């Protein structure tokens, strides 16, 4: 099954900076990628 996750990048950048602090763009992108993958693994689609 293919899944797409749409993220409002502007909102995410501002919100994550306030919550988690400033990091580089690369670190922020890696953080978001890991978060999305973790979300997919923890979610049970179709059950």
């Amino acid at each position: 099954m293919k899944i797409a996750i749409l993220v409002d990048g502007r909102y995410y950048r501002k919100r994550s900076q306030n919550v988690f602090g400033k990091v580089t763009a690369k670190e922020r992108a890696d953080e978001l990628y890991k978060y999305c993958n973790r979300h997919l693994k923890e979610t049970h689609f179709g059950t």
Side-chain angles (χ1 to χ4, degrees), residues 8-39:
D8 181 341
R10 185 176 188 191
Y11 175 79
Y12 181 78
R13 285 177 53 206
K14 286 184 157 260
R15 183 69 181 137
S16 61
Q17 182 177 339
N18 289 334
V19 174
F20 302 117
K22 286 188 176 184
V23 296
T24 67
K26 169 83 169 101
E27 290 172 321
R28 189 65 71 204
D30 290 342
E31 170 187 283
L32 179 58
Y33 179 78
K34 289 175 186 175
Y35 174 79
C36 290
N37 280 311
R38 187 173 66 239
H39 177 73

